[in-house]
C-alpha cells in the first residue's frame, strides 16, 4: 500500500537532482526503453491494431516511470516508486466517477478497445479567450449540447471590466465570478445541475481557485478541478495543494497531462512512453480519479497530426488493455470554428481515441489561443463522431483506413491552418443556435465522411 | 594555416555542433585559437551555423529538445574558451543585448529556454530572468545591463495579462524609447502583442531570432 502523504513525503526525502539533468534524463531513458521494447512508429498505421505493441508501450512506460520517478520542482528532489507501489495504486484506482445531480447526472466508467459503449463526452472551450459579455453565451453553447455530460469554462479576458492578473486580488474575484457564471450558463441551457469538471479556468494561483469552490456560488458536491503536471514528469507544490483540498472537500479531481512531441521526451515513440508514465504520476501525486491527456506537437500546438493521432490511439490502447483507468483524450485542433478543416481534425481525433478505449474531451480549436474562436459546434462534431464509432462498431483497422482518408483532407495545411470564425459569426447570439452556414458546412463534411465509411444514419 | 585548412576547421566545428559533441567542440575551439583564427568568425561561421542547422532539424522534428539543449551546451562550452580572445578583438560585435524571461505568475519556461538558446546561437547577449519574473524586474535588469530588447513569454492566459504592463511601465518611467519589446508564448498572438504596445512578436524560436534582428536594425536606425 502507498498513501498520499507517503507519496508527497518523498518530495522532501528523495535524492536531489538538478532540473536540467532530469530533463535530459527523460529523453535518454525514453530512448533506452524504445530500444528495449522495440517500439516503432509507423506513419501508415495511424491507429495501430497490434495488441503486442500496445502492451509493450505500456510496459515500457511503466519501466520508464520506475526508472525516472517524479521530479518536484519546489525541492529539486526525485520521488521514486517501486513496481509494487504503482501496481497497488492501479489496482485501487477509481472505477467510476460521477458528475452532476438529478437528471443531469452522468457517470464515467472504464471503456475497452473497440467498446460499443459510447464515450463519455466532456465539452469545453478549454479556456479559450472570450470577451466578458459573451462568456455565458460561449460556455452555454457547450452546456446545451445534448451529448455533453459535463462542461467547463472559457477564459473571460476581463471581469467587471478589469483584466485578470495572476496573484492579484482581482484573480480571486475572477475565479468566483467564473464559477457563478458557469452555473448561470448551465441554468440558461436548461440543465441546471449539469456537472462542471473544471470549475475555474481564469485563475492560476491555488488560493484564488479554492476560494471559488463554494456551494453558495453554485458549486455542486461532485463538481471538480484539474491538477496539472507542470512539464514532463514534474510536479510543483502550488498544484499539489489543490489535491490536498479536494481530498478533504470531496469534490472530483482529475489529472491534466500534456507531454510535448519534440520536447524533453523526444519523438512520438518517446512521448508515448512519457504519456503513459504521466498517468502513474497523476494517480500517485494527485490521486486523480480520471486522466485528461492532451499531448501536443511542439511546433503545431495541436494533436491532430499523424504522429499525434498515433500516440493518442496507441497510449489509450495500452492503458485500456492493461489498467481500468478512466482516460479521456482532449482534442486540440489547429484550425478554428466553421472550417472544414476543424471538422476533419476533430473527427480524426475522436475516432483515434474512441476506438482505443478513451473518452472524449471536446475541444480546443484554433490552437486554443484566438479570442472568440471556439463554439459548442466543434464539441458536437467530435461527440457525434465518438458515438458513431461506438454504435457502428468501428474496428481499429477500419478506423485506420478512415483516418488516413481524413488526414489527406488537412494534413498539408497544419502549419497554416485557418483560424475560422468568431462565436458571433458562427452562432446567432440571441437564440444561441449555430448559423445555417456552419450547419451546412458540417452536413457537407458528414457527406464526405460517409463516403470514407462512417454511417451517420446511425446517429 | 591556409584558407583551405581554415575552412576545414570551420566545417569540423559545424559538424561537431550539429552532432552535439561537446568535447570535440572544445578541442576544435582550442585548435582555432592556436591557429590564430578570428574568434568572431569561428563563432559565426562555425558554432552559430551549426546551431542554425540544429534549429532547422528541430523545426522538422528530426531533432527534439534534448538534442537542441546538448548542442547549445556544446557550443557554450566552446565559446567560453573563445571568450577572452573575443573580448579583446570584438567586444562590440554582439548582435544586441536582450533581457529575457517568463512573465510574473508563470512557471512554464520551456519555450523561453528554446528562444534563449537560439538567440545566443545567433550572437545575441541574453540575460535570462528565468520564470515568474515581475515586470519591474525586466525593466531594472534592462537598465542595469544596457539592454536593447526586453523579451517576455507567457504560456497562460492568466499571466499574459501582465504583458501590457511592460510598455505601460516603461512609458510611466519615461523609458519607452530606450527599449524594443518583443513578446511570445502559447496564448499570445501577433495582433494582441501589437495592440498592447509591443514592437515585435515571435511565433516560435526561429521567428523570435528574425524579429530580434529586425528590431535591432530598427533600433540602430537601419
Amino acid at each position: 500500500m502507498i498513501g498520499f502523504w507517503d507519496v508527497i513525503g518523498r518530495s522532501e526525502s528523495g535524492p536531489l537532482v538538478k532540473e536540467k539533468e532530469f530533463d535530459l534524463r527523460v529523453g535518454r531513458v525514453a530512448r533506452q526503453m524504445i530500444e528495449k521494447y522495440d517500439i516503432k512508429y509507423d506513419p501508415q498505421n495511424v491507429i495501430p491494431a497490434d495488441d503486442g505493441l500496445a502492451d509493450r508501450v505500456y510496459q515500457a512506460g511503466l519501466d520508464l516511470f520506475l526508472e525516472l520517478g517524479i521530479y518536484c520542482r519546489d525541492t529539486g528532489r526525485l520521488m521514486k516508486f517501486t513496481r509494487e507501489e504503482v501496481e497497488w495504486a492501479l489496482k485501487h484506482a477509481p472505477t467510476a466517477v460521477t458528475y452532476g445531480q438529478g437528471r443531469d447526472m452522468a457517470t464515467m466508467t472504464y471503456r475497452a478497445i473497440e467498446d460499443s459503449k459510447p464515450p463519455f463526452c466532456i465539452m469545453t472551450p478549454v479556456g479559450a479567450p472570450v470577451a466578458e459579455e459573451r462568456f455565458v453565451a460561449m460556455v452555454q453553447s457547450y452546456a446545451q449540447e445534448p451529448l455533453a455530460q459535463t462542461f467547463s469554462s472559457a477564459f473571460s479576458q476581463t471581469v467587471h471590466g478589469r483584466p485578470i492578473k495572476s496573484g492579484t486580488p482581482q484573480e480571486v474575484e475572477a475565479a468566483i465570478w467564473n464559477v457563478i457564471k458557469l452555473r448561470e450558463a448551465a441554468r440558461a441551457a436548461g440543465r441546471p445541475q449539469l456537472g462542471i469538471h473544471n470549475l475555474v479556468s481564469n485563475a492560476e494561483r491555488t488560493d484564488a481557485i479554492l476560494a471559488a469552490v463554494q456551494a453558495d456560488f453554485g458549486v455542486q458536491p461532485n463538481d471538480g478541478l484539474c491538477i496539472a503536471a507542470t512539464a514532463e514528469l514534474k510536479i510543483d507544490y502550488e498544484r499539489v495543494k489543490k489535491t490536498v483540498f479536494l481530498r478533504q472537500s470531496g469534490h472530483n479531481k482529475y489529472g491534466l497531462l500534456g507531454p510535448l512531441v519534440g520536447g524533453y521526451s523526444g519523438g512520438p515513440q518517446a512521448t508515448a512512453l512519457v504519456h503513459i508514465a504521466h498517468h502513474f504520476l497523476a494517480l500517485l501525486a494527485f490521486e486523480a480519479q480520471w486522466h485528461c491527456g492532451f499531448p501536443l506537437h511542439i511546433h503545431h500546438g495541436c494533436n491532430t497530426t499523424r504522429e499525434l493521432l498515433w500516440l493518442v490511439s496507441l497510449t489509450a490502447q495500452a492503458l485500456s488493455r492493461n489498467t481500468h483507468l478512466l482516460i479521456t483524450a482532449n482534442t486540440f485542433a489547429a484550425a478554428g470554428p466553421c472550417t472544414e478543416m476543424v471538422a476533419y481534425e476533430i473527427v480524426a481525433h475522436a475516432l483515434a481515441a474512441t476506438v482505443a478505449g478513451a473518452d472524449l474531451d471536446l475541444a480546443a480549436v484554433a490552437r486554443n489561443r484566438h479570442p472568440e474562436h471556439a463554439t459548442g459546434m466543434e464539441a458536437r462534431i467530435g461527440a457525434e463522431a465518438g458515438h458513431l464509432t461506438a454504435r457502428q462498431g468501428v474496428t481499429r483497422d477500419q478506423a485506420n483506413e478512415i483516418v488516413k482518408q481524413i488526414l489527406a483532407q488537412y494534413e498539408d495545411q497544419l502549419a497554416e491552418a485557418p483560424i475560422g470564425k468568431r462565436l458571433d459569426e458562427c452562432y446567432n447570439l440571441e437564440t444561441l443556435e449555430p448559423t445555417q452556414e456552419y450547419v451546412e458546412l458540417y452536413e457537407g463534411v458528414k457527406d464526405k465522411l460517409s463516403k470514407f465509411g462512417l454511417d451517420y444514419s446511425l446517429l | 594555416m591556409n584558407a583551405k585548412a581554415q575552412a576545414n576547421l570551420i566545417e569540423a566545428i559545424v559538424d561537431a555542433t550539429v552532432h552535439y559533441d561537446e568535447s570535440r567542440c572544445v578541442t576544435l575551439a582550442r585548435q582555432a585559437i592556436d591557429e590564430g583564427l578570428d574568434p568572431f568568425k569561428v563563432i559565426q561561421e562555425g558554432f552559430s551555423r551549426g546551431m542554425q542547422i540544429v534549429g532547422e532539424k528541430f523545426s522538422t522534428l528530426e531533432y527534439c529538445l534534448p538534442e537542441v539543449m546538448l548542442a547549445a551546451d556544446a557550443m557554450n562550452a566552446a565559446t567560453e574558451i573563445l571568450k577572452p580572445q573575443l573580448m579583446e578583438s570584438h567586444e562590440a560585435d554582439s548582435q544586441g543585448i536582450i533581457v529575457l524571461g517568463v512573465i510574473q505568475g508563470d512557471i512554464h519556461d520551456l519555450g523561453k529556454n528554446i528562444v534563449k538558446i537560439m538567440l545566443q546561437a545567433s550572437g545575441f547577449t541574453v540575460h535570462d530572468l528565468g520564470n515568474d519574473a515581475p515586470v519591474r524586474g525586466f525593466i531594472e535588469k534592462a537598465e542595469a545591463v544596457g539592454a536593447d530588447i526586453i523579451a517576455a513569454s507567457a504560456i497562460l492566459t492568466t499571466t499574459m495579462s501582465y504583458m501590457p504592463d511592460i510598455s505601460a511601465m516603461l512609458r510611466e518611467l519615461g523609458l519607452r524609447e530606450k527599449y524594443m519589446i518583443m513578446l511570445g508564448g502559447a496564448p499570445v498572438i501577433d495582433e494582441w502583442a501589437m495592440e498592447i504596445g509591443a514592437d515585435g512578436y515571435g511565433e516560435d524560436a526561429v521567428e523570435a531570432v528574425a524579429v530580434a534582428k529586425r528590431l535591432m536594425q530598427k533600433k540602430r536606425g537601419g
Side-chain angles (χ1 to χ4, degrees), chain A residues 271-283:
Chain A
T271 313
L273 307 192
V274 171
H275 192 42
I276 296 281
H278 269 170
H279 290 73
F280 308 136
L281 173 154
L283 192 60

Side-chain angles (χ1 to χ4, degrees), chain A residues 135 153 159-160 164 168-184 196 199-203 205 207-219:
Chain A
F135 177 88
S153 194
V159 164
H160 307 313
I164 305 155
T168 66
Q170 168 72 350
E171 189 183 31
V172 180
E173 179 75 6
I176 294 169
W177 180 93
N178 191 116
V179 167
I180 292 169
K181 291 294 175 186
L182 280 175
R183 188 51 66 201
E184 183 183 321
I196 302 171
L199 286 158
V200 180
S201 296
N202 62 357
R205 292 279 186 88
D207 55 357
I209 293 168
L210 300 192
V213 185
Q214 307 275 347
D216 285 349
F217 305 146
V219 174

